[in-house]
Amino acid sequence: MQRRAEIPALGSLGSSARAVVRALLLAGPLSRAELARRLERSPASLTKITRPLLDSGLIQEETAPLSESRGRPGAPLTLDASRHRFIGVKVTAGEVYGVRADAAGRVEASAHRPLVDVKQGTVVGQIVHLVKELAEPGPVQALGVGLAGQMSRFDRTVRSNAYLGWDEVPLARLLEQATGIPTVLSGDARALTAGVQWSGPGRGLSDFAVLTVGVGVGLGIVLEDRVLAGPTGKVGMLGHHRVSDSGPLCTNGHRGCASAFLTTDAITRGIGVPLGRTDLDLETAFRLAEEGDDVALRVFADAGHALGVLIAELVNILGLPAVILAGDGLGMLAHVRPRMDAALAEHLDPNATTPSVVPFTSGFDEWARGAAVVACQWMLVDPPSPALEPA
Amino acid sequence: MQRRAEIPALGSLGSSARAVVRALLLAGPLSRAELARRLERSPASLTKITRPLLDSGLIQEETAPLSESRGRPGAPLTLDASRHRFIGVKVTAGEVYGVRADAAGRVEASAHRPLVDVKQGTVVGQIVHLVKELAEPGPVQALGVGLAGQMSRFDRTVRSNAYLGWDEVPLARLLEQATGIPTVLSGDARALTAGVQWSGPGRGLSDFAVLTVGVGVGLGIVLEDRVLAGPTGKVGMLGHHRVSDSGPLCTNGHRGCASAFLTTDAITRGIGVPLGRTDLDLETAFRLAEEGDDVALRVFADAGHALGVLIAELVNILGLPAVILAGDGLGMLAHVRPRMDAALAEHLDPNATTPSVVPFTSGFDEWARGAAVVACQWMLVDPPSPALEPA
DNA sequence: GTCCTTTCCTTCACTATGTCAACTAAAGAG
DNA sequence: CTCTTTAGTTGACATAGTGAAGGAAAGGAC
């Protein structure tokens, strides 16, 4: 058995070694010859690149040869993803969620802590507590934090966050100083999308969108294998996107916008108010629909219509072959799917290819897991990110 | 005066030399120090990279020094774009348009030829004629051809083109054999967008969309300085994108779709049919609107509304700071702008930044010029494209 | 078994590209 | 006139990749 401490950190690798690690993480065991084809290098280069990785124990050569067709079988190289740990944190309304995941995005541990206020010190303190709790066994290579709001891919500063009331807070540096772990920030929808792409239902797809439904409506887009950051971090502002000329008002007073049909609040109030039950919850709403209640059926039909229209717009504009649905409001899918499919078919351009619409049920952990994946990707970007700033 | 024949072709350059040429074409005269900063290389490297380019006459050192602030002034390097010629061709309904442009995208000559049928031989023959006519003075470095339909960035084969009725036609190879000029194919909207980005109103913008209005409705998207090809070449299928719950039917029988409001045909028929004037043209429609005709005013108002909704959707989904309007139907802008602006404001997500909407008046040449720009970009991509196949 | 073919992988000499450190060069500021 | 700042060059060196040549490991033909 090899000593674990000797394995080098992913962040310390050269650019070609990173490319090899990325390929191995993405596509399992691969022979040198296969890697050479994928990375568009010569076989000679792959011998050279993989040697130090094998020597350091970062990758291993499997004994069972990979025999396909005739000719000498390739020696499969593997990377033991479980030896590289990352922590992901998602900051929400009143809570901070965190997970520890390996390089393959598998969750090893999760935890959460309440957020009593949004003062800098409180939030940083709670994140640090959470990280220390999760970091326990073995070294952690990087920490990713997902926050609502506009930030670039691999950001270091919260520039302006309406929800937290923050302005120019160097959160990554503060967390690095407190934890000693290299830290990146990312938009939460972007992080979720990265998680879906790296090790969720988006794995292997080079182009897709993630549409989330819950407290709000969110969007993440992957084009040509890259998660879109948006020019100003502002991708997917479709919460108040108009979906119908009629319909209810949203909380901002817009008629017929996506939020007015799709958020948990819109659904519970849409059903609860006409029935005089102001504190109706989603489960009750589902039950009412199953019992054939007229109001519930109409509200879910409208939600399905809104969802179908949003998907059609995405596909018409971007030509996406797949759309993944996620978020804690996804439970309604069973009730809205027929109407969603109908609206999608109706609004899709006749020349566009019908996308596959894939539901992805997940809890709040998935947002944190996405942040962990972002941290891992950060360690593997080319060109390498600047090293941890001196504390 | 230097002998022109000695200048090396752009396609023969190494990858760093290409990067220098791209930067000089994009941002005019730049000193070595400035190039080093932009390309993220050391000053020493730039001395080394630029030396053979200067020796070969491909770039020149300007005499007037570039004096900013204190310190030694930089020696501006320029690339004489006019010494590199490209031909762009756009294949449309009954005609083939072509232009000869320089590396900066400036049109030097243009011509067009009728297309009596869409047989392979006929189309290839007409393109070859056009190219020979335009290629006259000096050598041409590459030929770009823009066609409607789905193709990748820098394609070589028309895989399936409903309009031409073609299937798996190796058009690039055929044209290379007939003309001896390296040839690329590209989607027409993609080519137009490349032209706008390289040397049109999109110059300097890293994120924008081009929305075209005319016979149909087209879309091109630039994100992070890259023209989007779309996963299957299918970006911007918004011709039949639903814009309103009510409104006229389009030619495919869809109610309220973009085509039903915005195409030239939709406008002339929308005004002409109620007035009993079946052969009404756009000019007459404009005049009617200026005279205050009720029908014309309503049709243009609806068109403005449709345009505003499309722009809002684009901006909501992608966070684009700018949208450029083009196409031969753009003449209507004056008549539709108030309503367009209103619809844009109404449908834009309150959290999104209002984009600048820039009209770009242009003729059919602009589509061909885009194809020439694609040819130039093809010569400058990194990694280099495979060289001209042996004929 | 003994070839032969195919594919994988390595070695080695070589090229391309880019860097650092030390230097010269040209301007403005005091 | 010297100091500072910025630009550009030089030469020794580093890094990453390649092609050509050959060894290694399988299956197939005989």
Side-chain angles (χ1 to χ4, degrees):
Chain A
M1 188 174 165
Q2 233 166 338
R3 271 170 300 169
R4 302 207 148 200
E6 283 184 8
I7 299 174
L10 299 182
S12 66
L13 302 173
S15 71
S16 41
R18 281 157 193 260
V20 167
V21 169
R22 278 197 306 268
L24 288 180
L25 280 176
L26 210 74
L30 294 171
S31 67
R32 276 166 263 247
E34 183 56 33
L35 282 167
R37 283 185 290 265
R38 288 185 187 235
L39 307 180
E40 296 184 296
R41 303 267 144 106
S42 69
S45 299
L46 264 113
T47 299
K48 216 186 260 187
I49 296 167
T50 52
R51 169 131 37 243
L53 297 179
L54 284 161
D55 289 347
S56 67
L58 203 143
I59 63 174
Q60 288 85 36
E61 195 162 322
E62 272 184 14
T63 46
L66 196 59
S67 174
E68 296 152 357
S69 71
R70 58 181 167 286
R72 172 178 170 176
L77 302 175
T78 56
L79 187 146
D80 189 353
S82 66
R83 286 178 167 189
H84 305 272
R85 296 173 202 288
F86 300 88
I87 292 180
V89 169
K90 149 91 173 171
V91 183
T92 66
E95 205 122 11
V96 183
Y97 296 85
V99 302
R100 187 183 71 234
D102 67 15
R106 285 183 295 250
V107 172
E108 296 175 341
S110 74
H112 53 103
R113 288 183 151 261
L115 214 52
V116 288
D117 62 62
V118 296
K119 285 203 282 279
Q120 255 190 60
T122 315
V123 176
V124 170
Q126 291 291 62
I127 294 178
V128 171
H129 268 113
L130 201 61
V131 168
K132 293 215 163 131
E133 192 181 331
L134 290 167
E136 262 314 290
V140 169
Q141 301 215 6
L143 164 64
V145 179
L147 300 125
Q150 297 151 28
M151 30 198 44
S152 73
R153 197 160 99 109
F154 310 137
D155 218 322
R156 312 224 6 115
T157 310
V158 180
R159 255 170 291 281
S160 147
N161 188 301
Y163 162 65
L164 293 172
W166 287 9
D167 194 46
E168 290 293 330
V169 177
L171 184 59
R173 190 166 54 74
L174 295 174
L175 290 172
E176 281 177 356
Q177 285 168 357
T179 62
I181 301 170
T183 303
V184 242
L185 315 180
S186 199
D188 53 358
R190 207 201 164 283
L192 180 76
T193 307
V196 167
Q197 178 201 28
W198 189 254
S199 45
R203 191 180 167 92
L205 305 177
S206 56
D207 301 86
F208 64 92
V210 179
L211 197 54
T212 68
V213 177
V215 177
V217 179
L219 175 67
I221 299 175
V222 174
L223 291 174
E224 294 167 25
D225 291 310
R226 289 148 30 106
V227 181
L228 217 74
T232 52
K234 278 188 184 175
V235 70
M237 309 302 286
L238 35 71
H240 297 275
H241 194 73
R242 195 160 202 178
V243 151
S244 162
D245 284 352
S246 56
L249 298 174
C250 75
T251 49
N252 288 34
H254 292 83
R255 185 168 299 283
C257 72
S259 294
F261 290 113
L262 286 168
T263 60
T264 304
D265 192 55
I267 301 230
T268 52
R269 295 217 308 193
I271 300 175
V273 169
L275 298 178
R277 298 166 62 174
T278 47
D279 56 347
L280 187 116
D281 65 2
L282 258 188
E283 292 308 315
T284 316
F286 293 159
R287 200 166 34 71
L288 283 170
E290 278 152 25
E291 289 166 1
D293 180 87
D294 278 350
V295 176
L297 287 177
R298 189 183 46 72
V299 166
F300 281 121
D302 286 350
H305 178 259
L307 210 48
V309 170
L310 284 185
I311 295 171
E313 288 184 0
L314 276 170
V315 173
N316 284 347
I317 290 176
L318 295 169
L320 299 170
V323 175
I324 288 158
L325 301 177
D328 50 297
L330 195 57
M332 66 163 137
L333 191 65
H335 302 282
V336 308
R337 180 117 208 189
R339 195 58 202 275
M340 180 191 90
D341 289 335
L344 172 57
E346 190 191 355
H347 286 80
L348 204 63
D349 189 292
N351 298 315
T353 314
T354 305
S356 60
V357 179
V358 182
F360 177 44
T361 311
S362 60
F364 273 104
D365 278 8
E366 188 62 24
W367 297 82
R369 196 183 72 83
V373 167
V374 169
C376 179
Q377 292 177 336
W378 182 47
M379 289 282 100
L380 292 173
V381 278
D382 191 51
S385 310
L388 179 55
E389 294 168 31
Chain B
M1 187 179 166
Q2 232 164 340
R3 270 170 299 167
R4 302 207 146 199
E6 283 184 10
I7 300 173
L10 299 181
S12 67
L13 302 174
S15 72
S16 41
R18 280 156 193 262
V20 166
V21 169
R22 277 196 306 267
L24 288 179
L25 279 176
L26 211 71
L30 295 169
S31 68
R32 276 166 263 247
E34 183 55 33
L35 281 166
R37 282 187 291 267
R38 286 183 188 236
L39 307 180
E40 294 183 298
R41 308 262 146 102
S42 69
S45 298
L46 264 113
T47 298
K48 217 185 259 187
I49 296 167
T50 52
R51 168 122 46 237
L53 296 179
L54 284 161
D55 289 347
S56 68
L58 205 145
I59 64 175
Q60 289 85 36
E61 195 162 322
E62 270 184 14
T63 47
L66 197 60
S67 174
E68 296 153 357
S69 70
R70 59 182 166 286
R72 171 178 170 176
L77 301 175
T78 55
L79 187 146
D80 188 353
S82 66
R83 286 180 168 187
H84 305 272
R85 298 174 201 286
F86 300 87
I87 291 180
V89 169
K90 150 92 172 168
V91 183
T92 65
E95 205 122 10
V96 183
Y97 295 85
V99 302
R100 186 181 71 233
D102 67 15
R106 285 183 296 252
V107 173
E108 296 175 342
S110 74
H112 53 102
R113 287 183 153 260
L115 214 53
V116 287
D117 61 64
V118 296
K119 286 203 282 278
Q120 257 191 59
T122 315
V123 177
V124 170
Q126 290 293 60
I127 295 178
V128 171
H129 267 114
L130 201 61
V131 169
K132 293 215 163 132
E133 189 181 331
L134 289 165
E136 260 316 290
V140 169
Q141 301 214 6
L143 163 64
V145 179
L147 300 125
Q150 298 152 29
M151 31 197 43
S152 72
R153 197 161 98 106
F154 310 137
D155 217 322
R156 314 234 349 125
T157 308
V158 179
R159 254 170 291 280
S160 146
N161 189 300
Y163 162 63
L164 293 174
W166 288 8
D167 192 48
E168 291 292 332
V169 177
L171 185 59
R173 190 167 53 74
L174 295 175
L175 290 172
E176 282 178 356
Q177 285 169 357
T179 63
I181 303 171
T183 303
V184 244
L185 314 180
S186 200
D188 54 359
R190 206 198 166 289
L192 180 76
T193 307
V196 167
Q197 177 200 29
W198 190 255
S199 43
R203 191 179 166 94
L205 304 177
S206 56
D207 302 87
F208 63 92
V210 179
L211 198 54
T212 67
V213 177
V215 178
V217 179
L219 175 67
I221 299 174
V222 174
L223 290 173
E224 295 168 25
D225 292 311
R226 290 151 25 109
V227 180
L228 217 73
T232 52
K234 280 189 185 177
V235 71
M237 309 301 287
L238 35 68
H240 295 274
H241 193 71
R242 196 161 200 175
V243 151
S244 162
D245 285 352
S246 55
L249 299 173
C250 76
T251 47
N252 287 35
H254 292 82
R255 186 167 300 283
C257 72
S259 295
F261 290 112
L262 286 169
T263 59
T264 304
D265 191 55
I267 300 220
T268 51
R269 296 218 306 193
I271 300 175
V273 170
L275 298 180
R277 296 167 64 174
T278 47
D279 57 345
L280 189 115
D281 66 2
L282 259 187
E283 292 307 316
T284 315
F286 293 158
R287 199 165 34 72
L288 284 170
E290 279 152 25
E291 288 166 4
D293 179 86
D294 279 349
V295 176
L297 287 177
R298 188 184 47 72
V299 166
F300 281 120
D302 286 350
H305 178 259
L307 210 48
V309 170
L310 283 185
I311 295 170
E313 289 184 358
L314 274 171
V315 173
N316 283 348
I317 290 175
L318 294 170
L320 299 170
V323 175
I324 289 157
L325 302 177
D328 50 296
L330 195 58
M332 67 164 136
L333 191 66
H335 302 282
V336 308
R337 182 121 207 185
R339 195 58 201 278
M340 180 191 90
D341 289 335
L344 173 57
E346 190 192 354
H347 286 81
L348 206 63
D349 189 292
N351 298 315
T353 315
T354 304
S356 61
V357 179
V358 183
F360 176 43
T361 311
S362 60
F364 272 106
D365 278 6
E366 188 61 23
W367 296 83
R369 195 183 74 84
V373 166
V374 168
C376 179
Q377 291 177 336
W378 182 49
M379 289 282 100
L380 292 173
V381 278
D382 191 51
S385 308
L388 177 56
E389 294 168 30

